[in-house]
Amino acid sequence: MRPSGRAPDQMREIRIEPGFTRHAEGSVLVSFGDTRVLCTASVEEKVPPFLRGKGQGWVTAEYGMLPRATHTRGNREAAKGKQSGRTQEIQRLIGRSLRAVVDLKALGERQIVVDCDVLQADGGTRTAAISGAWCALRIAVDKLIEAKSLPSDPIRTQVGAVSCGIHNGTAVLDLDYIEDSAAGCDGNFVLTADGSIVEAQVTAEGECYDEEGLLRLLRLARIGCSEIFQAQLKATGK
Amino acid sequence: MRPSGRAPDQMREIRIEPGFTRHAEGSVLVSFGDTRVLCTASVEEKVPPFLRGKGQGWVTAEYGMLPRATHTRGNREAAKGKQSGRTQEIQRLIGRSLRAVVDLKALGERQIVVDCDVLQADGGTRTAAISGAWCALRIAVDKLIEAKSLPSDPIRTQVGAVSCGIHNGTAVLDLDYIEDSAAGCDGNFVLTADGSIVEAQVTAEGECYDEEGLLRLLRLARIGCSEIFQAQLKATGK
Amino acid sequence: MRPSGRAPDQMREIRIEPGFTRHAEGSVLVSFGDTRVLCTASVEEKVPPFLRGKGQGWVTAEYGMLPRATHTRGNREAAKGKQSGRTQEIQRLIGRSLRAVVDLKALGERQIVVDCDVLQADGGTRTAAISGAWCALRIAVDKLIEAKSLPSDPIRTQVGAVSCGIHNGTAVLDLDYIEDSAAGCDGNFVLTADGSIVEAQVTAEGECYDEEGLLRLLRLARIGCSEIFQAQLKATGK
Amino acid sequence: MRPSGRAPDQMREIRIEPGFTRHAEGSVLVSFGDTRVLCTASVEEKVPPFLRGKGQGWVTAEYGMLPRATHTRGNREAAKGKQSGRTQEIQRLIGRSLRAVVDLKALGERQIVVDCDVLQADGGTRTAAISGAWCALRIAVDKLIEAKSLPSDPIRTQVGAVSCGIHNGTAVLDLDYIEDSAAGCDGNFVLTADGSIVEAQVTAEGECYDEEGLLRLLRLARIGCSEIFQAQLKATGK
Amino acid sequence: MRPSGRAPDQMREIRIEPGFTRHAEGSVLVSFGDTRVLCTASVEEKVPPFLRGKGQGWVTAEYGMLPRATHTRGNREAAKGKQSGRTQEIQRLIGRSLRAVVDLKALGERQIVVDCDVLQADGGTRTAAISGAWCALRIAVDKLIEAKSLPSDPIRTQVGAVSCGIHNGTAVLDLDYIEDSAAGCDGNFVLTADGSIVEAQVTAEGECYDEEGLLRLLRLARIGCSEIFQAQLKATGK
Amino acid sequence: MRPSGRAPDQMREIRIEPGFTRHAEGSVLVSFGDTRVLCTASVEEKVPPFLRGKGQGWVTAEYGMLPRATHTRGNREAAKGKQSGRTQEIQRLIGRSLRAVVDLKALGERQIVVDCDVLQADGGTRTAAISGAWCALRIAVDKLIEAKSLPSDPIRTQVGAVSCGIHNGTAVLDLDYIEDSAAGCDGNFVLTADGSIVEAQVTAEGECYDEEGLLRLLRLARIGCSEIFQAQLKATGK
């Protein structure tokens, strides 16, 4: 029995509200249950120095968590003067995941920065962030297409992510904070709508696992992501 | 005529949603029109080093702005590794304003940190932040009183803040971004519900002003703050 | 009775020694009683990036305090690796105050940086700094004019500043450290020689205040600044 | 055909030289071909603040790369003033991997810090680091056991790591720099000598992958790690 | 012929004004010609962590240069967020030089921090700083003795410093900025009043030197320091 | 009697292994007894900004120490976010020493960065670093000459360095850690193969010294450096 009463292969309620803020070219508030992440996509008509003049664009991401998004207040990274290793690890993952489904040449010499800021955390912030970031990116790119700034769509397919883990000996989908804290092993899977794996990361936390365990988690991730893909389509009006 | 069509002494719509996030002891989302600030109050059962053993509490504030809260994306302060002078100036002002209405001895040896994070900016983020911060603080203190952790109410009165300025020669209340960018002079007033001034800051931006101008802005601020005080009472269930 | 024996509307002795150091284009040591601030103006034949090619100049300021300018030694900001919020707030105020009386277009594409370093502190360092900074700027601009690098004088008028506050229930002018530490409310006023207000900042410290209090402080500030304006003229040989 | 002429399931030559430096309680120089990492284990008779008085120990790791370990010189992180996201990600992985095979309660209230410094890089620095770090830890713990500072052995089993990836359509083991730069997808596997998986991370770089691909890489990793486990035993005199 | 017209073994005018600022326990403004350094000694009734409970005191120094102390404005170290290597090198030298003449056990468990801030630079700032720092320290220690906080005098003798170098083939004493910029080799000597050498640092700048050159510079340094020692005695009322 | 049993004028065993790492244009592992420093020279076809377009090259150095190079583990500078004053002082000395024997005009518009990383420390790391750095530089320059990128040899002569000090009243050569910790005075001498002094730094540590002491140390340094120069020639195949 999961603490939340969910079935092992049951996601939390997914909500994706487009247009949550108005200045960004793309913006959604994504919720996986009580985990809520504001994702905004900003289009910049320039690329980072290492890409100048290379005829291609770039997609990158930044991640942050409001100090009191969590059960007990954390220090503000801006006040501490540096981003934690965890923050950097997550924002690198989000960026890689988005770039996996974008044709950077087709994007042209521009950069899209997706900011993922966690307003409330209850486990799975990085997977909610990736899933919402794709929507923000989709909306921003749609605006570029509408404005005829892009001759073709650089986004090849959808990308979504979900966490899975072994909790009390059972493989479960979309861990909340309570499950996450007690999981024997947990992983994050980034999948595309056409069935490929972009990234799989599974970490033993006390309990090691084997091939069968890995595949079981991956099967759950496929279930969760298909639900995420539907929510993404609905939110972006596809 | 103001760009928004408002009358000179007309506030933007004020909304204060209590309980916007669930972990913080007090939390509101405050909106002054399109300016939206998430304010959370966190109670910590310890005081900063300089107050240890002095038999009193502390109230402090931190301020941040999401990178794409604004029209064009700003750099993330956590990534730059330092808070700007503007950020520090604002968070010091919020902290001072709250402490002006709190009896720190009556608070006991605990600290309340109020985080004000701007989700969307359209002028007046610091005044919205102060006005919302008071609500978050009020809610957190009410919980301490309910839990019998506080023998008496340490909050003496309400505090609110609003900006005023001279725009196209007219003194106007609660400047939005367009007005703020073009104002000849603008100021922020922090007032209490019992009619006192906590802080007045008026800066010439191109146009200097005189006593009469100062008083005219202050009169507008009184009008705006009385509306804010009502919204605060409603949001905190008083 | 004031601790120093001064009358409520009595400034401390103002001294402004031009040419205190020799490398800077303009340099003065300004004293308001025991508060002593070295102000130097450095002319740079370039503007900050955000102004390049805009056909105008810039005036900015930096502020620092020697570690043992104060009663007990403070940490050196260079050693701590960051400037405090207070430092940044003050240097922003000095820069704004100077720009309020300079025609940046008439200055041409150059920048003048005014450094204000407190050698000894006894209250009112920011107001002494502004008052001295204007002199350093005046001297540097006079050299540009003499050298025929400037066709016309970009400085429109004088700017000076003084603090005022309520001490033991009495409104007093130019607070020293003892008064400042005990003031119920205190403010800084930046005024121009032609009678305008550039900036007014009044903060309640324990005691809130009202319109009448605000105006009383402002009247004192006018008295103090007229004395400052005379000292400025004398120091800059006008 | 691999650039190095190796068979797809062939590791580079593994060398582990114990005692490469003399001050550390445990020290090895580990080489996977031209990748050479100096691993030192330092025993400290104290634990980090979050574990004080909890009756358990801690194992953590730090990772660095000498500026010219690589083909072109990189900036020194100490000079830049911060560790990159990549560095932090790697050192977190090394620490987690070691803790997965250590009984922290049996270690007692002490900390072992394993420093992994890359002297020369040719792909796979993090997996060589983990494999060498275990040896340094093993040697340091053996000294504690010999000195009767530990009643029982806190290390449960061996841990090793290797990278695998898809290069030119073929799954290959232990990628060198040339293969790594061109791999369509690559992953790092951390395995224990008793057959469990501690961590699996597989990232698509241009080419997405599926379950079968994931399992193929994992099978290669098992081959590589069994060779690593033998080298570890030989180096630590077991 | 020296640019200043001085004889090869002629110091610039040395002035040491005691009591230049009033809060510090000891304070002097030392001038070697146009090089002017404010030195303040602050007594703290505690020692740094590494000396706690060891029954001895500590003397340390910090060094800074105002941004426009030099011919062209330098960046403010506090704004850059770090002290340069040069600054750190100099402040370590000043601290070592002072400790060489202080009996730290006789000082008791207290620390004296000497701040040396360059108001105007014209070569030789570090040697003027050491020479002035000793005076500030002497004055502060005298106050401790007068207050009966010290049973005996912990200062064993005087310490002073001067620069020497080869300029246009001639060994010259107390280089000013013009000479320093063009010197073939230059050095700094820290000597005590009883004839010992505390520190000798001679660096070739283009021209290497030999034993004879080294001794020639040292002979000049002895001449310069004897003049410094007299000025120190006069300034500290001995 | 020295702790190591060496004669007063006896160096530790000097070993210089060329080609210790393979990516750098020049690389040696230099050992003075148990002190081991990896020196790599990296050729960059650009110069630092202050030299652009000046028709000359630059040689600079960086220095680091692995956290457990020492008896007890030190903090990693990259993790602390800044280089210590000691580190900066040493790397400035290495750079100056190398530039003293290089004709920067003959080097052309390129920069050579020499990294000196201490793998194991037992006293004298900076002198071993300078001695090894010259070899790395020599090897890198030889490659440029072979590749016909340099018309003539920009290296004028060899440079080496050694420490000397007074230990138990006796002047001794090449102090190891035990001697260094207990030395009454110690110095570092940087000499060239043609008999000149590049840099002499002698510091009293408890015991002051005089001319005779200085010359005695210098005589020892000449003995040590002649041995170093031979080892350099052997290592660089001259």
Side-chain angles (χ1 to χ4, degrees):
Chain A
M1 187 62 169
R2 303 177 70 173
S4 60
R6 280 187 282 152
D9 63 352
Q10 190 183 345
M11 291 287 293
R12 290 176 287 179
E13 189 194 1
I14 302 169
R15 270 167 302 135
I16 305 181
E17 302 172 45
F20 186 77
T21 62
R22 51 187 299 164
H23 299 313
E25 284 72 34
S27 154
V28 304
L29 179 68
V30 60
S31 309
F32 281 18
D34 277 341
T35 289
R36 297 164 73 187
V37 185
L38 174 54
C39 305
T40 60
S42 298
V43 178
E44 301 177 348
E45 293 297 322
K46 61 173 187 195
V47 287
F50 72 94
L51 284 180
R52 269 179 212 147
K54 300 241 166 105
Q56 69 159 90
W58 192 243
V59 175
T60 189
E62 293 195 2
Y63 171 91
M65 198 183 263
L66 296 193
R68 194 56 198 277
T70 44
H71 287 78
T72 53
R73 185 174 183 274
N75 288 324
R76 186 176 288 268
E77 291 190 330
K80 280 193 300 183
K82 67 176 186 177
Q83 294 180 299
S84 71
R86 179 185 171 277
T87 291
Q88 293 192 62
E89 199 172 307
I90 293 175
Q91 65 192 10
R92 283 156 56 89
L93 174 63
I94 301 170
R96 273 200 313 273
S97 299
L98 295 175
R99 286 192 299 273
V101 297
V102 172
D103 178 344
L104 295 173
K105 288 225 176 307
L107 183 58
E109 286 222 13
R110 58 172 61 85
Q111 174 170 251
I112 302 184
V113 182
V114 184
D115 287 287
C116 299
D117 285 276
V118 180
L119 304 188
Q120 190 171 276
D122 187 32
T125 63
R126 81 187 69 187
T127 53
I130 292 168
S131 304
W134 182 86
C135 295
L137 180 68
R138 178 71 272 172
I139 294 168
V141 166
D142 283 347
K143 284 201 190 133
L144 287 172
I145 293 171
E146 267 169 59
K148 307 223 183 288
S149 301
L150 276 176
S152 67
D153 186 356
I155 300 183
R156 283 190 288 248
T157 183
Q158 291 168 256
V159 71
V162 73
S163 72
C164 308
I166 313 284
H167 182 256
N168 283 341
T170 307
V172 294
L173 176 62
D174 187 28
L175 287 73
D176 58 26
Y177 177 75
I178 294 178
E179 289 173 320
D180 194 31
S181 312
C185 109
D186 77 273
N188 295 294
F189 294 89
V190 184
L191 306 179
T192 65
D194 56 18
S196 292
I197 309 173
V198 168
E199 182 122 3
Q201 293 189 340
V202 183
T203 304
E205 308 270 8
E207 263 175 77
C208 293
Y209 60 96
D210 61 10
E211 274 79 352
E212 178 45 33
L214 183 59
L215 290 180
R216 223 166 340 132
L217 297 182
L218 184 46
R219 276 193 296 270
L220 284 175
R222 290 207 179 279
I223 293 169
C225 281
S226 70
E227 200 170 323
I228 291 165
F229 294 136
Q230 286 189 315
Q232 286 179 335
L233 290 180
K234 202 174 130 203
T236 57
K238 299 286 157 172
Chain B
M1 185 62 170
R2 303 176 70 172
S4 59
R6 281 187 282 152
D9 62 352
Q10 189 183 346
M11 289 288 292
R12 292 175 288 180
E13 188 193 3
I14 301 169
R15 268 168 305 133
I16 305 180
E17 302 172 45
F20 186 76
T21 62
R22 51 186 298 166
H23 299 314
E25 283 71 35
S27 155
V28 304
L29 181 67
V30 60
S31 309
F32 280 19
D34 277 340
T35 289
R36 294 163 74 188
V37 185
L38 175 53
C39 305
T40 59
S42 298
V43 178
E44 301 177 349
E45 294 297 323
K46 60 174 188 197
V47 286
F50 72 94
L51 283 180
R52 271 182 210 145
K54 301 241 166 108
Q56 69 159 92
W58 191 242
V59 175
T60 188
E62 294 196 1
Y63 172 92
M65 198 183 263
L66 296 192
R68 195 56 197 279
T70 44
H71 287 78
T72 53
R73 185 175 183 274
N75 288 324
R76 187 176 288 268
E77 291 191 329
K80 282 193 297 183
K82 65 176 186 175
Q83 294 179 299
S84 70
R86 179 186 172 277
T87 291
Q88 293 191 62
E89 198 170 308
I90 293 175
Q91 64 193 9
R92 284 156 56 89
L93 173 63
I94 302 171
R96 272 201 313 273
S97 299
L98 295 174
R99 286 193 298 275
V101 296
V102 173
D103 177 344
L104 295 173
K105 286 224 177 308
L107 183 58
E109 285 221 13
R110 57 172 61 84
Q111 174 169 249
I112 302 184
V113 182
V114 183
D115 287 286
C116 299
D117 284 275
V118 179
L119 304 188
Q120 191 172 274
D122 186 34
T125 63
R126 81 187 68 187
T127 53
I130 291 168
S131 304
W134 183 84
C135 295
L137 179 69
R138 177 72 271 171
I139 294 168
V141 166
D142 283 347
K143 283 201 190 135
L144 287 172
I145 292 172
E146 266 168 60
K148 309 225 181 287
S149 301
L150 277 176
S152 67
D153 187 356
I155 302 183
R156 283 190 287 248
T157 182
Q158 291 169 257
V159 71
V162 73
S163 73
C164 308
I166 313 284
H167 182 255
N168 283 342
T170 307
V172 294
L173 176 63
D174 187 27
L175 287 72
D176 58 27
Y177 177 75
I178 295 178
E179 289 172 321
D180 193 32
S181 312
C185 109
D186 78 90
N188 295 294
F189 294 89
V190 184
L191 307 179
T192 64
D194 55 19
S196 292
I197 309 173
V198 168
E199 182 122 2
Q201 293 189 339
V202 183
T203 304
E205 308 269 8
E207 265 176 75
C208 292
Y209 60 96
D210 59 10
E211 273 79 352
E212 178 45 34
L214 183 60
L215 290 180
R216 218 161 348 126
L217 296 182
L218 183 47
R219 275 193 297 271
L220 284 174
R222 290 206 179 279
I223 294 170
C225 281
S226 70
E227 201 171 321
I228 291 165
F229 294 136
Q230 285 189 316
Q232 286 179 335
L233 289 180
K234 201 173 131 205
T236 57
K238 300 288 158 170
Chain C
M1 185 64 170
R2 303 177 70 173
S4 59
R6 282 187 282 152
D9 62 353
Q10 189 182 346
M11 290 286 292
R12 290 176 287 180
E13 188 194 1
I14 302 170
R15 269 168 305 135
I16 306 181
E17 303 173 43
F20 187 76
T21 62
R22 50 187 299 164
H23 300 313
E25 283 71 36
S27 154
V28 303
L29 179 69
V30 60
S31 310
F32 279 19
D34 277 339
T35 289
R36 295 163 74 189
V37 186
L38 175 54
C39 304
T40 60
S42 299
V43 178
E44 301 177 348
E45 293 297 322
K46 61 174 188 196
V47 288
F50 72 94
L51 283 181
R52 272 181 209 145
K54 302 241 165 104
Q56 70 158 92
W58 191 242
V59 175
T60 187
E62 293 195 1
Y63 171 92
M65 199 184 262
L66 296 193
R68 194 56 198 279
T70 44
H71 287 76
T72 53
R73 186 175 182 273
N75 288 324
R76 187 176 288 268
E77 291 190 328
K80 282 193 298 183
K82 67 176 185 175
Q83 293 179 300
S84 71
R86 179 185 171 278
T87 291
Q88 294 191 62
E89 199 170 308
I90 293 175
Q91 63 193 10
R92 284 156 56 89
L93 173 63
I94 302 171
R96 273 201 314 273
S97 299
L98 295 175
R99 287 192 298 274
V101 296
V102 172
D103 177 345
L104 295 172
K105 287 224 179 308
L107 183 59
E109 285 222 13
R110 57 172 62 85
Q111 174 171 250
I112 302 184
V113 181
V114 183
D115 287 288
C116 299
D117 285 275
V118 179
L119 304 189
Q120 190 171 277
D122 186 33
T125 64
R126 81 187 68 188
T127 52
I130 291 168
S131 305
W134 183 85
C135 296
L137 179 68
R138 178 71 272 173
I139 294 168
V141 166
D142 282 346
K143 284 201 189 134
L144 288 171
I145 293 171
E146 266 168 60
K148 309 225 182 285
S149 301
L150 276 176
S152 66
D153 186 356
I155 301 183
R156 283 190 287 248
T157 183
Q158 290 169 256
V159 70
V162 73
S163 72
C164 308
I166 312 285
H167 182 257
N168 282 342
T170 307
V172 293
L173 175 64
D174 187 27
L175 287 72
D176 57 28
Y177 177 75
I178 294 177
E179 289 172 321
D180 194 31
S181 312
C185 109
D186 78 272
N188 295 294
F189 295 88
V190 184
L191 306 178
T192 65
D194 56 19
S196 292
I197 308 174
V198 168
E199 182 122 3
Q201 294 189 340
V202 183
T203 304
E205 309 269 10
E207 266 176 76
C208 292
Y209 59 97
D210 59 11
E211 274 78 352
E212 178 45 34
L214 183 59
L215 290 180
R216 219 161 349 127
L217 297 182
L218 183 45
R219 276 193 297 271
L220 284 175
R222 291 206 179 278
I223 293 169
C225 281
S226 70
E227 200 171 324
I228 292 165
F229 294 136
Q230 285 189 314
Q232 286 179 335
L233 289 181
K234 202 175 130 205
T236 58
K238 301 285 157 171
Chain D
M1 186 62 168
R2 304 177 70 173
S4 60
R6 281 186 283 151
D9 62 352
Q10 190 183 345
M11 291 287 293
R12 291 176 287 180
E13 188 194 0
I14 301 169
R15 269 169 303 134
I16 305 181
E17 302 173 44
F20 186 76
T21 61
R22 50 187 301 166
H23 299 314
E25 284 71 34
S27 155
V28 303
L29 180 68
V30 60
S31 310
F32 280 18
D34 277 340
T35 288
R36 296 163 75 188
V37 185
L38 174 54
C39 305
T40 60
S42 299
V43 177
E44 301 177 348
E45 293 297 323
K46 61 174 186 193
V47 287
F50 72 94
L51 283 181
R52 269 179 212 148
K54 301 242 165 107
Q56 70 158 92
W58 192 242
V59 175
T60 188
E62 293 195 0
Y63 171 93
M65 199 182 264
L66 296 193
R68 194 55 198 278
T70 44
H71 287 78
T72 52
R73 185 175 183 274
N75 289 325
R76 187 176 287 268
E77 291 190 329
K80 281 193 298 182
K82 67 175 183 176
Q83 294 180 299
S84 71
R86 179 186 172 278
T87 290
Q88 293 192 60
E89 198 170 308
I90 292 175
Q91 65 193 10
R92 283 157 55 91
L93 174 62
I94 301 171
R96 274 201 312 273
S97 299
L98 295 175
R99 286 192 298 273
V101 296
V102 173
D103 177 344
L104 295 172
K105 287 225 177 309
L107 183 59
E109 285 222 13
R110 57 172 61 84
Q111 174 170 249
I112 302 184
V113 182
V114 184
D115 287 287
C116 299
D117 284 275
V118 180
L119 304 189
Q120 189 170 276
D122 186 33
T125 63
R126 81 187 71 186
T127 53
I130 292 168
S131 305
W134 182 85
C135 296
L137 180 68
R138 178 71 272 172
I139 294 168
V141 166
D142 283 347
K143 282 200 191 135
L144 287 171
I145 293 172
E146 265 168 61
K148 309 225 181 285
S149 300
L150 277 176
S152 67
D153 187 356
I155 302 183
R156 282 190 289 248
T157 182
Q158 291 169 256
V159 70
V162 73
S163 73
C164 307
I166 313 283
H167 181 255
N168 283 342
T170 307
V172 294
L173 176 63
D174 187 28
L175 286 72
D176 58 27
Y177 177 76
I178 294 177
E179 290 172 321
D180 193 33
S181 312
C185 108
D186 79 271
N188 295 294
F189 294 89
V190 184
L191 306 178
T192 65
D194 56 18
S196 293
I197 309 174
V198 168
E199 182 121 4
Q201 294 190 339
V202 183
T203 304
E205 309 269 8
E207 266 176 76
C208 292
Y209 60 96
D210 59 10
E211 274 79 350
E212 179 45 34
L214 183 60
L215 290 180
R216 222 167 340 132
L217 296 182
L218 184 46
R219 275 193 297 270
L220 284 175
R222 290 205 180 278
I223 293 170
C225 280
S226 70
E227 202 171 321
I228 291 164
F229 294 135
Q230 285 190 315
Q232 286 180 335
L233 289 181
K234 202 174 130 202
T236 57
K238 300 285 157 173
Chain E
M1 185 61 170
R2 303 177 71 173
S4 59
R6 279 188 284 152
D9 62 352
Q10 190 183 346
M11 291 288 292
R12 291 176 287 181
E13 188 194 0
I14 302 169
R15 268 168 306 134
I16 306 180
E17 303 173 43
F20 187 76
T21 62
R22 50 188 299 164
H23 299 314
E25 283 71 35
S27 155
V28 304
L29 180 69
V30 59
S31 310
F32 280 19
D34 276 340
T35 289
R36 295 164 75 188
V37 185
L38 175 54
C39 305
T40 60
S42 299
V43 178
E44 301 177 348
E45 294 296 323
K46 62 175 186 195
V47 286
F50 71 94
L51 282 181
R52 269 179 213 148
K54 300 244 166 103
Q56 70 159 92
W58 192 242
V59 175
T60 189
E62 294 195 1
Y63 171 93
M65 199 183 262
L66 296 193
R68 194 55 197 279
T70 45
H71 287 77
T72 53
R73 186 176 183 272
N75 289 324
R76 187 176 288 268
E77 292 190 328
K80 281 193 299 183
K82 67 176 185 176
Q83 293 179 299
S84 71
R86 180 185 170 280
T87 291
Q88 294 192 59
E89 199 171 307
I90 293 175
Q91 63 194 10
R92 284 156 55 89
L93 173 63
I94 302 171
R96 272 200 313 273
S97 299
L98 295 175
R99 287 192 298 274
V101 296
V102 173
D103 177 345
L104 295 173
K105 286 223 177 310
L107 184 60
E109 285 221 13
R110 57 172 62 84
Q111 175 171 248
I112 302 184
V113 182
V114 183
D115 287 287
C116 300
D117 285 275
V118 180
L119 304 189
Q120 190 170 276
D122 186 33
T125 64
R126 82 187 69 187
T127 52
I130 291 168
S131 304
W134 183 85
C135 295
L137 179 68
R138 177 72 271 172
I139 294 167
V141 166
D142 283 346
K143 282 200 191 136
L144 287 172
I145 292 172
E146 267 168 60
K148 309 224 182 287
S149 301
L150 276 176
S152 66
D153 187 356
I155 301 183
R156 282 190 287 249
T157 182
Q158 290 169 257
V159 70
V162 74
S163 73
C164 308
I166 313 284
H167 182 257
N168 282 342
T170 307
V172 294
L173 176 63
D174 187 27
L175 287 72
D176 58 27
Y177 177 75
I178 294 177
E179 290 171 321
D180 194 32
S181 312
C185 110
D186 78 270
N188 295 294
F189 294 89
V190 184
L191 306 179
T192 64
D194 55 18
S196 292
I197 309 174
V198 168
E199 183 124 1
Q201 294 189 340
V202 183
T203 304
E205 309 269 8
E207 263 175 80
C208 293
Y209 59 97
D210 59 10
E211 274 78 351
E212 179 43 35
L214 182 60
L215 290 180
R216 222 165 342 130
L217 296 182
L218 183 47
R219 275 192 297 270
L220 284 175
R222 290 205 179 278
I223 293 169
C225 281
S226 69
E227 201 171 322
I228 291 165
F229 295 136
Q230 285 190 314
Q232 287 179 335
L233 289 181
K234 202 174 130 203
T236 57
K238 300 286 156 172
Chain F
M1 186 64 169
R2 303 177 70 174
S4 60
R6 281 188 281 153
D9 63 352
Q10 191 183 344
M11 291 286 294
R12 291 175 288 180
E13 189 194 359
I14 302 170
R15 269 168 304 134
I16 305 181
E17 302 172 45
F20 187 76
T21 62
R22 51 187 299 165
H23 299 314
E25 283 70 34
S27 155
V28 304
L29 180 68
V30 60
S31 310
F32 281 18
D34 277 340
T35 289
R36 295 163 74 188
V37 185
L38 175 54
C39 305
T40 60
S42 298
V43 178
E44 301 177 347
E45 294 297 322
K46 61 173 188 196
V47 287
F50 72 93
L51 284 180
R52 270 179 212 147
K54 301 242 166 106
Q56 70 160 91
W58 191 242
V59 176
T60 188
E62 293 195 2
Y63 171 92
M65 199 184 264
L66 295 192
R68 194 56 196 279
T70 43
H71 287 78
T72 52
R73 186 176 184 273
N75 289 324
R76 188 176 286 268
E77 291 190 328
K80 281 193 298 183
K82 66 176 184 176
Q83 293 179 299
S84 70
R86 180 186 171 277
T87 290
Q88 293 192 61
E89 198 171 308
I90 293 175
Q91 64 193 10
R92 283 156 56 89
L93 173 63
I94 302 171
R96 274 201 312 272
S97 299
L98 295 174
R99 286 193 298 274
V101 297
V102 173
D103 177 345
L104 295 172
K105 288 227 177 307
L107 184 59
E109 286 223 14
R110 57 172 62 84
Q111 174 170 250
I112 302 184
V113 182
V114 183
D115 287 287
C116 299
D117 285 275
V118 180
L119 304 188
Q120 190 171 278
D122 186 34
T125 64
R126 81 186 68 187
T127 53
I130 291 167
S131 304
W134 182 85
C135 297
L137 179 69
R138 177 72 271 171
I139 294 168
V141 166
D142 283 347
K143 284 202 190 131
L144 287 172
I145 293 172
E146 267 168 59
K148 309 226 181 285
S149 301
L150 277 176
S152 67
D153 186 355
I155 301 183
R156 283 191 286 248
T157 183
Q158 291 168 256
V159 70
V162 72
S163 73
C164 307
I166 313 283
H167 181 256
N168 283 341
T170 307
V172 294
L173 176 63
D174 187 27
L175 287 73
D176 58 26
Y177 178 75
I178 294 177
E179 289 172 321
D180 193 32
S181 313
C185 107
D186 79 270
N188 296 294
F189 293 88
V190 184
L191 307 178
T192 65
D194 55 19
S196 292
I197 309 173
V198 168
E199 182 123 3
Q201 294 190 340
V202 183
T203 304
E205 307 270 7
E207 267 176 74
C208 293
Y209 60 97
D210 59 10
E211 274 78 351
E212 178 45 34
L214 183 60
L215 290 180
R216 222 163 344 129
L217 297 182
L218 183 48
R219 275 193 297 269
L220 284 175
R222 289 207 180 277
I223 293 169
C225 281
S226 69
E227 202 172 321
I228 291 165
F229 294 136
Q230 285 189 315
Q232 287 179 335
L233 289 180
K234 202 174 130 203
T236 58
K238 299 287 158 172

